Amino acid sequence: MILNIKYRPLKAFLLAIEAGSFTHAADQLGVTQPSFTALIQDLERTLDLKLFERTTRSISLTSAGVDLRDRIQRPIADMEETYRSMMDLAAVRRGSIVVGALPSTALTLIPPALGRLRNEHPALQIRVVEAHNDELIAMLRTNQVEFALATMLVEVPDLEFIPLVADVFCTVFPSDHPIAQLKRVTWADLVALDLVLLSHGSSARSMFDRSVAADDNCTGLRYDVTHMTTAVLLVRQRLGIALLPKLALPALPLKGLMHKPISNASAKRMIGVIRRRDRQLSPASQVFIKQLQRSAAEL
């Protein structure tokens, strides 16, 4: 049996108890006294019970009214709190986000976006998970992150890509390195050199490996590192030249070093928001993405 439970008559009933009169309760509910009385009568008619004893000056509960009050006070309060909580969620007055991010975006796009988000929505809880591109896609598909700031190396039907900012990979080297004399740098210029590369799974490494896979001149040493700052420090030790995204360079300690973009078309990438097509983004995530778009426009 499905019951026709109406909220307003129940709320009117509790307000009448609290106010001690239908007149004052009607004011609290924002209705006229006749309309308020009609709500109470509707509740009594639905329950087939008399809930109040009324005189011209006062109201009092019947035994059935006492029983109803004791049964509904807490559930109505819980329901109202649930509604308020959901409205806060929709209005981004609360919420939590777990976002995956390429290290280059964590250095550049995310900090200003988080700063503005904190000012406008201080109650939001944000967790940023930094990882390489392949790991971010895997975390997105297993619901470990709600969305990711990454690059789509190939289009896939289950993921949506929202472009944010174009990027290009660069070589980072000491100013007296022979590569400084080249007007333009290509993948072919790098294969015979000592290189500091980001570890497998990064988009930089994937692009490099695919671009030089058929080249037999890979005679230089290869140093694999996880962090871009480590790569820069190895370059300072003259252990090789690094291959890093241009987006991250302003945040790295490059004083005394030079950099040049790789001129091959395959050295370019588009960074954006990647999300699952079968999941609805939370209101908090939608607001965060707007701030990330603003950060990208300011670059």
Side-chain angles (χ1 to χ4, degrees):
M1 177 181 178
I2 298 177
L3 300 177
N4 183 20
I5 300 174
K6 300 176 184 178
Y7 168 73
R8 280 177 68 82
L10 292 172
K11 185 63 177 177
F13 170 74
L14 293 175
L15 285 175
I17 298 170
E18 181 182 326
S21 78
F22 282 13
T23 302
H24 293 153
D27 290 339
Q28 292 184 35
L29 194 60
V31 299
T32 64
Q33 183 174 341
S35 296
F36 187 89
T37 301
L39 287 172
I40 298 299
Q41 291 173 342
D42 178 57
L43 181 60
E44 290 179 326
R45 189 164 47 251
T46 299
L47 299 176
D48 196 21
L49 290 168
K50 186 174 179 61
L51 302 175
F52 289 101
E53 299 288 354
R54 296 178 62 193
T55 68
T56 56
R57 294 187 176 182
S58 66
I59 61 171
S60 61
L61 288 172
T62 64
S63 59
V66 171
D67 192 16
L68 179 63
R69 177 200 63 191
D70 293 344
R71 288 175 179 272
I72 70 168
Q73 270 184 325
R74 182 58 184 268
I76 291 293
D78 289 345
M79 183 179 68
E80 289 174 342
E81 176 57 30
T82 299
Y83 265 71
R84 283 191 290 268
S85 180
M86 293 300 101
M87 291 169 68
D88 285 344
L89 196 65
V92 201
R93 289 187 290 266
R94 72 172 185 88
S96 61
I97 309 169
V98 182
V99 54
L102 291 172
S104 56
T105 65
L107 288 172
T108 52
L109 293 176
I110 287 181
L114 281 182
R116 288 189 292 264
L117 201 66
R118 178 63 181 271
N119 290 334
E120 297 177 11
H121 305 282
L124 289 184
Q125 301 292 320
I126 314 294
R127 181 182 172 217
V128 179
V129 181
E130 294 183 51
H132 289 320
N133 209 77
D134 289 356
E135 296 171 292
L136 292 175
I137 299 300
M139 285 190 285
L140 187 62
R141 284 193 164 122
T142 54
N143 294 325
Q144 296 178 63
V145 297
E146 188 170 355
F147 68 91
L149 286 176
T151 184
M152 289 275 281
L153 299 178
V154 293
E155 289 189 17
V156 289
D158 61 320
L159 300 178
E160 178 185 6
F161 182 73
I162 305 169
L164 285 181
V165 61
D167 195 18
V168 63
F169 290 102
C170 296
T171 56
V172 177
F173 50 88
S175 57
D176 59 352
H177 193 281
I179 206 169
Q181 306 304 315
L182 298 179
K183 291 184 177 180
R184 58 194 295 269
V185 180
T186 68
W187 295 122
D189 297 318
L190 302 180
V191 291
L193 302 177
D194 294 341
L195 298 177
V196 180
L197 300 172
L198 297 178
S199 55
H200 290 283
S202 68
S203 54
R205 184 58 176 271
S206 297
M207 288 182 173
F208 175 79
D209 287 346
R210 285 190 298 178
S211 298
V212 303
D215 199 313
D216 296 327
N217 297 318
C218 297
T219 57
L221 294 174
R222 301 286 188 265
Y223 297 93
D224 283 23
V225 298
T226 302
H227 301 291
M228 289 180 284
T229 301
T230 305
V232 171
L233 295 177
L234 294 188
V235 173
R236 290 193 181 282
Q237 294 297 316
R238 297 181 174 274
L239 295 173
I241 64 174
L243 179 63
L244 299 174
K246 185 177 181 180
L247 182 64
L249 297 187
L252 296 175
L254 296 184
K255 186 176 180 180
L257 301 177
M258 297 179 63
H259 62 86
K260 286 187 176 184
I262 307 298
S263 61
N264 302 77
S266 59
K268 298 175 174 61
R269 65 177 180 174
M270 178 62 71
I271 292 175
V273 171
I274 304 178
R275 59 179 294 265
R276 286 179 50 162
R277 293 186 185 275
D278 62 349
R279 293 191 66 196
Q280 177 68 35
L281 288 173
S282 67
S285 285
Q286 293 176 39
V287 169
F288 190 19
I289 289 171
K290 289 182 180 179
Q291 294 295 353
L292 290 167
Q293 291 171 324
R294 181 175 169 185
S295 293
E298 291 172 349
L299 286 177

